[in-house]
């Protein structure tokens, strides 16, 4: 070859998209052609003539963004297949061709620590180490597993001492994972009263018994003013911003008017853009850098309302934080990605019912009781329970999982359900004097029922 590769990406190496090495060639004597490919698609091609010193320099960093993506999960654990991709760099002149395969991650990275070393001991977020959590907030955490086999756990701490661990996910192969770590999901997997626990929990990334990364979530009661937003952050993870400030609808409306002879009439088409302005409420001033980051990335943003996500587009943001103040508030403006109606939905009635049940159960949280059932030799298990039950949350161990269990009220079979070790079953029960359970499995044990009476005791 009639050149020397002074600097290029390294075969097999992984880079954040802002730190992909610039292609620098020295001692170039002929025209050089550079191709950049993703799979079989050519995303860049250029021919370069060396300068008077025989150098060629090509910066490819701006080419990777549109090929990388972080998705909002629709499951409790999602493998982000587009967070990291392989690219191929081909450098050729009239004599030969050099091919380099390397990886690029959907992350902008600033640290003195090596990228691969940093990934092994950090979550993909720059949010404060102590983050807010409340019952309805959608919370996600992302991390990269280089080899597969890591586990993500939530650790709740008992006031009486000790802790309770909840398994969130176990990776199945290498890759970037985004997992649901919301309080509402995790607390339902614990056979303990929330009042018996401290008001925080840690999310731990573990390799066996070794903790590789930790994020703490501090629980706070709902005020009813919360607005929830999720953003793709600079590292390609998903962060949640809980806002308690004012949310203002300030649409842009333009009425189109036509002239017909001597009169004016309003035309059928009216240009409307529904725009919102959101105030964050008072936050610790040290959160300003994190807020600035999620406002500046613009790689994906969603509003969470009525248990559904709506994609939004940021229009503006205002940040001014003094290091002399303990609390600060910020604002940002946004519109929906599609200018379609958000009024009315087939799910509104169903959601209103679910929400009223959930709110009532939360109100009676102090009256929640837990009972463990055990079935032996096919016997029916009967438990004393209030005649009217508003909500039952059932979780199971591995022995009970996927075992159909029927429940009876006053000796009459009402329905059945199938317990799971990961997602509690929610059932609303009718009135009756006693509640019985039966199953065909002769060795079922470890079924935990958390139930709320319909009226406080």
């Amino acid at each position: 070859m009639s050149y020397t590769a002074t600097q290029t990406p390294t075969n097999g190496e992984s880079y954040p998209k802002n730190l992909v090495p610039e292609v620098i060639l020295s001692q170039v004597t002929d025209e050089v052609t550079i191709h950049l490919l993703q799979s079989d698609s050519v995303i860049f091609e250029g021919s370069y003539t060396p300068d008077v010193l025989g150098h060629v320099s090509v910066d490819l960093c701006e080419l990777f963004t549109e090929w990388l993506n972080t998705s909002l999960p629709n499951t409790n654990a999602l493998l982000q297949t587009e967070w990291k991709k392989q690219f191929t760099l081909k450098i050729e002149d009239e004599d030969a061709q050099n091919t380099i395969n390397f990886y690029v991650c959907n992350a902008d990275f600033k640290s003195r620590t090596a990228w691969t070393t940093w990934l092994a001991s950090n979550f993909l977020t720059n949010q404060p180490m102590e983050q807010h959590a409340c019952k309805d907030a959608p919370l996600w955490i992302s991390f990269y597993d280089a080899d597969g086999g890591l586990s993500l756990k939530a650790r709740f701490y008992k006031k009486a001492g000790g802790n309770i661990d909840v398994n969130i996910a176990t990776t199945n192969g290498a890759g970037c994972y985004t997992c649901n770590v919301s309080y509402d999901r995790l607390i339902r997997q614990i056979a303990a009263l929330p009042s018996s626990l401290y008001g925080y929990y840690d999310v731990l990334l573990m390799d066996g018994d070794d903790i590789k990364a930790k994020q703490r979530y501090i629980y706070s009661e709902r005020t009813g003013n919360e607005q929830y937003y999720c953003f793709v952050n600079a590292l390609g993870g998903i962060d949640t911003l809980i806002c308690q400030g004012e949310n203002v609808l300030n649409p842009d409306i333009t009425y189109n008017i036509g002239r017909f002879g001597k009169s004016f009439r309003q035309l059928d088409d009216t240009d409307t853009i529904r725009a919102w302005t959101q105030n964050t409420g008072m936050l610790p001033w040290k959160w300003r850098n994190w807020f600035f980051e999620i406002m500046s990335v613009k790689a994906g943003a969603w509003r969470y309302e009525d248990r559904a996500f709506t994609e939004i587009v940021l229009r503006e943001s205002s940040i001014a934080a003094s290091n002399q103040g303990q609390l600060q508030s910020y604002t940002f403006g946004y519109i929906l990605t599609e200018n379609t109606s958000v009024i009315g939905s087939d799910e509104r009635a169903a959601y209103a019912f679910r929400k009223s049940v959930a709110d009532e159960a939360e109100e009676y949280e102090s009256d929640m009781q837990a009972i463990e059932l055990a079935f032996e030799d096919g016997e029916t298990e009967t438990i004393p329970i209030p005649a009217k039950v508003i909500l039952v949350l059932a979780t199971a161990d591995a022995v009970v999982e996927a075992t159909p269990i029927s429940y009876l009220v006053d000796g009459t079979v009402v329905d059945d359900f199938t317990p799971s070790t990961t997602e509690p079953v929610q059932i609303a029960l009718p009135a009756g004097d006693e509640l019985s359970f039966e199953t065909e499995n002769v060795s079922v044990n470890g079924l935990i029922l958390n139930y709320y009476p319909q009226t406080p005791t």
Side-chain angles (χ1 to χ4, degrees):
M1 284 191 171
S2 56
Y3 64 84
T4 299
T6 306
Q7 176 178 296
T8 59
T10 303
N11 253 317
E13 192 67 31
S14 176
Y15 302 95
K17 61 186 179 183
N18 65 320
L19 295 182
V20 178
E22 186 177 3
V23 178
I24 300 178
L25 309 176
S26 301
Q27 301 177 7
V28 183
T29 58
D30 300 305
E31 185 179 78
V32 177
T33 301
I34 294 178
H35 296 85
L36 182 66
L37 298 89
Q38 205 293 305
S39 285
D40 296 326
S41 301
V42 178
I43 61 177
F44 175 80
E45 178 181 354
S47 297
Y48 298 87
T49 302
D51 60 20
V52 294
L53 299 178
H55 294 163
V56 167
S57 178
V58 183
D59 188 354
L60 304 175
C61 273
E62 298 298 325
L63 301 176
F64 301 104
T65 298
E66 64 180 282
W67 294 91
L68 303 170
N69 182 57
T70 297
S71 300
L72 186 70
N74 56 9
T75 61
N76 286 324
L78 176 68
L79 174 62
Q80 298 280 2
T81 57
E82 296 187 333
W83 183 82
K84 178 182 177 181
K85 287 186 177 180
Q86 185 184 67
F87 293 83
T88 299
L89 180 66
K90 293 183 179 180
I91 307 172
E92 57 184 353
D93 61 10
E94 61 181 14
D95 297 327
Q97 175 180 284
N98 184 23
T99 300
I100 302 169
N101 294 308
F102 61 99
Y103 294 89
V104 182
C105 306
N106 187 30
D108 290 326
F109 181 66
K110 295 180 180 179
S111 176
R112 295 181 180 179
T113 307
W115 172 238
T116 53
T117 302
W118 189 92
L119 282 178
S121 57
N122 287 276
F123 289 117
L124 295 173
T125 180
N126 288 321
Q127 68 186 5
M129 292 299 293
E130 293 185 346
Q131 181 61 284
H132 292 321
C134 60
K135 187 177 184 300
D136 289 340
L139 299 175
W140 306 94
I141 201 76
S142 301
F143 61 92
Y144 181 74
D145 187 347
D147 302 309
L150 297 182
S151 62
L152 191 68
K153 296 183 178 181
R155 178 164 294 173
F156 290 81
Y157 299 91
K158 298 180 180 179
K159 292 180 180 179
N163 57 69
I164 303 175
D165 285 358
V166 175
N167 186 60
I168 299 173
T170 300
T171 62
N172 182 19
C176 174
Y177 293 82
T178 300
C179 297
N180 180 359
V181 296
S182 65
Y183 175 86
D184 186 44
R185 178 203 172 196
L186 300 178
I187 197 65
R188 288 186 285 132
Q189 300 185 46
I190 297 179
L193 293 173
S195 57
S196 68
L197 306 172
Y198 284 110
Y200 60 88
Y201 60 98
D202 292 332
V203 174
L204 309 173
L205 181 62
M206 306 190 71
D207 185 2
D209 294 329
D210 297 331
I211 299 176
K212 301 175 70 65
K214 181 172 77 171
Q215 173 72 50
R216 173 159 293 183
Y217 293 93
I218 301 176
Y219 179 78
S220 60
E221 293 292 339
R222 294 180 303 178
T223 65
N225 297 321
E226 289 84 2
Q227 300 285 332
Y228 306 116
Y229 300 89
C230 291
F231 302 89
V232 176
N233 62 36
L235 294 167
I238 295 178
D239 288 344
T240 298
L241 182 63
I242 303 176
C243 299
Q244 294 186 337
E246 185 180 31
N247 181 266
V248 180
L249 173 63
N250 45 3
D252 297 333
I253 303 176
T254 302
Y255 298 101
N256 296 313
I257 299 174
R259 181 168 182 171
F260 298 86
K262 295 182 179 181
S263 62
F264 295 91
R265 299 179 186 174
Q266 185 169 318
L267 302 180
D268 292 337
D269 57 325
T270 301
D271 298 327
T272 61
I273 299 178
R274 280 165 300 168
W276 284 264
T277 299
Q278 177 67 59
N279 184 276
T280 62
M282 304 307 288
L283 300 173
W285 73 268
K286 290 187 177 180
W287 289 32
R288 61 180 178 181
N289 291 337
W290 174 61
F291 178 81
F292 173 76
E293 175 198 293
I294 60 178
M295 288 295 108
S296 60
V297 173
K298 294 179 295 185
W302 299 266
R303 182 180 69 184
Y304 182 74
E305 187 177 27
D306 290 353
R307 299 180 183 269
F309 290 94
T310 303
E311 190 173 3
I312 63 175
V313 177
L314 297 176
R315 302 182 73 192
E316 59 188 2
S317 61
S318 174
I319 175 171
S322 168
N323 62 358
Q324 301 299 313
Q326 295 301 313
L327 296 172
Q328 310 285 339
S329 66
Y330 317 110
T331 61
F332 60 94
Y334 63 91
I335 61 175
L336 305 183
T337 54
E338 296 184 9
N339 192 29
T340 56
S341 175
V342 294
I343 300 176
S345 169
D346 294 337
E347 298 181 355
R348 286 185 63 85
Y351 167 73
F353 172 76
R354 293 197 307 270
K355 191 173 191 305
S356 63
V357 171
D359 288 345
E360 196 166 357
E362 184 180 27
E363 180 181 350
Y364 303 145
E365 190 172 85
S366 61
D367 298 301
M368 185 178 75
Q369 300 182 44
I371 294 177
E372 182 171 357
L373 301 181
F375 299 86
E376 296 180 359
D377 300 327
E379 295 180 354
T380 296
E381 180 79 7
T382 302
I383 60 174
I385 199 167
K388 295 182 179 180
V389 175
I390 184 173
L391 182 66
V392 171
L393 306 177
T395 58
D397 63 13
V399 177
V400 184
E401 185 176 24
T403 299
I405 295 179
S406 301
Y407 56 92
L408 305 83
V409 176
D410 297 337
T412 302
V413 175
V414 177
D415 205 345
D416 60 54
F417 64 94
T418 303
S420 167
T421 59
T422 56
E423 288 298 320
V425 179
Q426 298 189 25
I427 50 178
L429 301 177
D433 294 332
E434 64 179 16
L435 185 64
S436 303
F437 296 86
E438 64 180 19
T439 177
E440 296 180 0
N441 190 329
V442 298
S443 60
V444 170
N445 57 63
L447 175 63
I448 302 295
L449 288 181
N450 296 327
Y451 69 87
Y452 306 86
Q454 194 170 38
T455 56
T457 57

